[in-house]
Amino acid sequence: MSTENNAPVVSNFIRNIIDEDLASGKHASIVTRFPPEPNGYLHVGHAKSICLNFGLADDYQGKCNLRMDDTNPEKESDEYVQSIKDSVSWLGFKWDGEVRYASDYFQPLYDYAVELIKAGKAFVCDLNAEEMRAYRGSLTEPGKNSPYRDRSIEENLDLFTRMKNGEFPDGSKTLRLKIDMSSGNVNMRDPVIYRIRRAHHHRTGDTWCIYPMYDYTHCISDAIEGITHSLCTLEFEDHRPLYDWVLDNISIGCHPRQYEFSRLELLYALTSKRKLQALVNDGLVTGWDDPRMPTIAGMRRRGFSPAGIRLFAQRIGVSRGENIIDMSVLEGAVRETLEAEAPRVMAVLDPIKVTLTNFEEGVTASRAAPFHPHHPEFGEREVPISREIYIERDDFAEVPPPKWQRLTAGGEVRLRYSYVIKCDEVIKDATGRVVELKCSIDHDTLGQNPVGRKVKGVIHWLSCEHAIEAQVRLYDRLFTEPRPDAVRGEDGEYVDFRQFLNPHSLATVTACVEDVVLKAEPETRYQFERLGYFVTDRYEHQPGVKAVFNRTVGLKDSWAK
Ligand code: ATP
Ligand code: MG
């Protein structure tokens, strides 16, 4: 899939490892997986991981599983499962077979736990959370053995069975691995692998009241699925010894290898489901798919194309080095893919009326214009002219700045696909605001240059009687700070990222657009000439009834300093 944008496949350390594993015969083909927890909508960071895992499977003719890592019943839901499936498919990827769920493996996970107990490698512990913390030690000090560590195998088996059967209250007991309380790696200090939690699970309902922990679940799920390369972000590096320990100590016969890469951090955005959830819960955005959200659903609604996001993922690369990326890189990739695929139309976002005083029915003519300058197959449409037209307010300046090439009092400009006009009169209201221009057409300039002079500027415009009205939503950065969740106050504590919301992140205007767009289906992308890329809203645009657009991105990077 990643080769689809004609961009060469960029190698990375993971591809090198795969190349070696295939060359040495360690694996005949690869199996990767993308394992989100269904506790929110996926964001742009997940897009990186999706493009990596599914992209590798595509490039190496392997397989990639989509696995819901659903071991925290309180936070997970079917809504999130559905949104995750939608996001992966929309990005253009196909998972192998059915969607998998860690919860499908609750029984084998339980059976392996029993196996570990029987081997004397796991024990039931009665320490509560606070005691457990005290016994754990710190980064500099070793931990202490739990007083319950030496329970007999029989007692552990009995207690674990009774934990499963619901005989003990929530949080009163855990099952822990017996590894090493003095390990320098805190993750290896007898980690908890099961806890008692009476919570309704979105798939298993009330069947279980004990739930396995992430570290224990993840490696076994990978092994059950025959994953060859288990790719995750760097914060799991210290968990790798535990991943390996579990697989080395059960009779599973498959040992995937874990490799870590750095998380994407996108400036002016947040890449944490929990923080994005806070924006949704507080009503600071309209939902997970608000076009300002860095979620995949939000980017989709904003008009970003799957190809643009895939190109972005390819450009940011995969490594173990810091991956802090400016929003302009994402927008640039999106812009590049839209350039070739979006038909052009004209729209006026902030109109001034222009009366063409010498417009003459039957004499003043219209021309057809192509929908795309380089794609004749996109077709063309008539761009009708009439006595009254709209132009963009900022394409007129009574007192023009130096090098002005647009319209000014007494000056000339070309209307895109139409005549050269001259501004003869400026009409203002009592406050001095320009409300109308009276202009004259040079009737000898349709499809040809004026004689004896040069007119450089070309502006977009619309015939008042032919244009339709559209609601257009102009989006800007959601935050005013590049790293809204990394700002510290005077006390050294993190400042709440909600303080850095950009109050101007959304402006809604009533614009005029060519009437063809009214027929467009939702999620149709256009370039509004000279203004940027816009998409018909996925939900609110109603073909034939009501045009609603979201601005995807401007034509140039307006954030470059
Ligand atoms: P969050 O904090 O947003 O919930 P997470 O890592 O807890 O992120 P998961 O649902 O567990 O979210 O992630 C699924 C996969 O996506 C994991 O393999 C994870 O490493 C990867 N992933 C998550 N965030 C990023 C990111 N910012 N960049 C790259 N990969 C990411
Ligand atoms: Mg997580």
Side-chain angles (χ1 to χ4, degrees):
M1 190 60 73
S2 48
T3 45
E4 232 173 47
N5 304 303
N6 309 321
V9 172
V10 183
S11 201
N12 57 51
F13 77 101
I14 293 172
R15 298 183 73 97
N16 295 342
I17 291 166
I18 293 173
D19 288 338
E20 279 167 29
D21 289 348
L22 294 174
S24 72
K26 180 177 176 189
H27 299 296
S29 65
I30 64 159
V31 187
T32 57
R33 86 287 171 267
F34 172 65
E37 181 178 2
N39 62 348
Y41 282 57
L42 300 181
H43 53 63
V44 64
H46 296 111
K48 170 179 177 172
S49 179
I50 291 169
C51 291
L52 174 64
N53 281 293
F54 286 94
L56 286 170
D58 283 346
D59 289 349
Y60 286 92
Q61 281 99 51
K63 291 174 178 172
C64 181
N65 293 347
L66 174 59
R67 182 198 315 143
M68 304 295 161
D69 177 17
D70 55 349
T71 56
N72 284 311
E74 300 96 327
K75 295 187 196 149
E76 297 160 1
S77 76
D78 285 333
E79 178 198 347
Y80 296 143
V81 168
Q82 193 51 49
S83 73
I84 290 169
K85 293 199 267 184
D86 288 348
S87 291
V88 173
S89 306
W90 178 76
L91 278 176
F93 296 108
K94 260 195 139 116
W95 49 89
D96 184 62
E98 298 292 311
V99 174
R100 333 256 162 153
Y101 295 85
S103 55
D104 288 344
Y105 312 137
F106 281 170
Q107 187 60 48
L109 286 160
Y110 179 83
D111 296 339
Y112 286 121
V114 169
E115 189 183 319
L116 285 162
I117 295 172
K118 286 184 177 163
K121 292 173 178 171
F123 66 99
V124 172
C125 184
D126 295 4
L127 293 181
N128 63 31
E130 200 181 315
E131 293 162 334
M132 190 105 59
R133 251 192 305 282
Y135 274 80
R136 192 186 298 136
S138 67
L139 287 175
T140 48
E141 279 172 50
K144 281 189 303 188
N145 281 351
S146 159
Y148 305 98
R149 200 177 199 262
D150 295 320
R151 276 178 164 153
S152 69
I153 289 174
E154 291 65 38
E155 188 183 2
N156 282 321
L157 281 176
D158 174 58
L159 290 173
F160 188 51
T161 309
R162 289 166 59 194
M163 275 170 68
K164 182 189 75 160
N165 292 343
E167 290 188 29
F168 307 116
D170 283 10
S172 62
K173 287 184 171 26
T174 56
L175 183 70
R176 299 175 67 182
L177 295 178
K178 223 185 257 190
I179 308 182
D180 179 6
M181 288 307 292
S182 63
S183 170
N185 183 342
V186 183
N187 296 301
M188 300 297 271
R189 294 184 188 167
D190 293 2
V192 171
I193 59 168
Y194 268 93
R195 68 218 141 101
I196 306 173
R197 201 76 199 85
R198 284 173 178 75
H200 190 80
H201 188 279
H202 74 116
R203 295 188 75 243
T204 59
D206 299 315
T207 307
W208 297 86
C209 66
I210 56 170
Y211 289 97
M213 302 295 284
Y214 173 85
D215 282 323
Y216 175 73
T217 308
H218 200 76
C219 53
I220 296 178
S221 305
D222 279 350
I224 289 174
E225 295 178 11
I227 302 300
T228 55
H229 300 82
S230 177
L231 312 177
C232 61
T233 36
L234 274 170
E235 70 271 22
F236 292 104
E237 184 171 24
D238 292 344
H239 298 237
R240 189 185 341 129
L242 177 53
Y243 184 105
D244 289 333
W245 189 97
V246 171
L247 296 181
D248 285 339
N249 285 281
I250 58 174
S251 60
I252 198 160
C254 174
H255 193 138
R257 291 294 156 187
Q258 173 181 307
Y259 300 96
E260 308 88 21
F261 61 95
S262 42
R263 290 179 88 83
L264 163 66
E265 204 189 310
L266 187 65
L267 295 181
Y268 295 99
L270 294 171
T271 43
S272 153
K273 281 187 234 134
R274 189 175 52 77
K275 291 171 189 167
L276 294 171
Q277 172 111 63
L279 297 177
V280 175
N281 289 350
D282 293 358
L284 299 169
V285 291
T286 59
W288 284 99
D289 66 353
D290 186 304
R292 293 166 293 185
M293 289 281 269
T295 51
I296 297 176
M299 294 191 286
R300 171 176 182 174
R301 207 161 163 201
R302 176 79 168 252
F304 288 17
S305 59
I309 297 172
R310 293 195 305 260
L311 180 61
F312 167 72
Q314 206 172 94
R315 290 209 171 135
I316 62 173
V318 175
S319 76
R320 291 171 58 87
E322 208 169 59
N323 199 209
I324 303 177
I325 305 287
D326 196 79
M327 187 70 92
S328 61
V329 179
L330 174 57
E331 292 179 345
V334 168
R335 192 181 288 119
E336 260 178 67
T337 54
L338 295 186
E339 153 64 28
E341 73 182 42
R344 274 63 164 157
V345 292
M346 292 197 281
V348 178
L349 298 185
D350 182 12
I352 323 184
K353 192 171 94 176
V354 173
T355 302
L356 301 172
T357 48
N358 60 342
F359 176 90
E360 238 183 291
E361 205 69 59
V363 173
T364 311
S366 301
R367 283 177 65 197
F371 277 114
H372 196 288
H374 312 302
H375 290 291
E377 74 279 12
F378 283 21
E380 51 179 38
R381 81 288 185 198
E382 194 69 14
V383 179
I385 191 163
S386 58
R387 178 171 297 274
E388 290 181 343
I389 65 169
Y390 293 122
I391 66 166
E392 206 73 62
R393 179 164 291 278
D394 66 6
D395 277 337
F396 174 78
E398 205 174 7
V399 185
K403 298 195 183 151
W404 181 256
Q405 292 193 351
R406 295 174 267 164
L407 195 59
T408 180
E412 286 185 300
V413 80
R414 179 176 290 280
L415 301 176
R416 182 87 162 130
Y417 308 119
S418 189
Y419 296 94
V420 169
I421 60 167
K422 179 171 181 217
C423 177
D424 304 312
E425 193 185 340
V426 181
I427 298 169
K428 296 182 196 170
D429 66 11
T431 66
R433 181 178 156 90
V434 176
V435 288
E436 187 185 341
L437 302 174
K438 292 205 187 289
C439 295
S440 48
I441 297 169
D442 179 343
H443 274 101
D444 296 326
T445 56
L446 191 63
Q448 57 193 26
N449 287 326
V451 178
R453 64 201 197 277
K454 270 214 163 76
V455 175
K456 281 200 197 139
V458 182
I459 62 172
H460 59 273
W461 60 282
L462 286 167
S463 156
C464 297
E465 66 178 84
H466 297 95
I468 58 143
E469 276 192 357
Q471 189 194 107
V472 178
R473 295 169 315 193
L474 305 170
Y475 294 104
D476 204 336
R477 300 276 186 278
L478 187 51
F479 292 100
T480 53
E481 275 291 325
R483 300 177 76 179
D485 53 351
V487 178
R488 289 178 193 269
E490 282 178 6
D491 56 2
E493 297 292 314
Y494 284 118
V495 178
D496 190 322
F497 56 86
R498 283 167 281 214
Q499 291 199 8
F500 303 114
L501 280 170
N502 175 6
H504 308 294
S505 61
L506 168 62
T508 303
V509 300
T510 301
C512 306
V513 195
E514 286 185 48
D515 62 358
V516 287
V517 304
L518 189 59
K519 288 190 235 116
E521 291 299 312
E523 301 199 275
T524 305
R525 301 183 186 88
Y526 287 99
Q527 185 193 99
F528 289 173
E529 292 208 29
R530 299 179 64 231
L531 296 174
Y533 293 98
F534 294 73
V535 67
T536 52
D537 189 73
R538 188 177 173 191
Y539 302 112
E540 291 166 45
H541 176 83
Q542 296 171 35
V545 179
K546 184 177 163 206
V548 180
F549 280 91
N550 301 328
R551 178 168 67 194
T552 306
V553 65
L555 290 180
K556 288 194 295 265
D557 179 13
S558 54
W559 279 67
K561 296 201 179 96

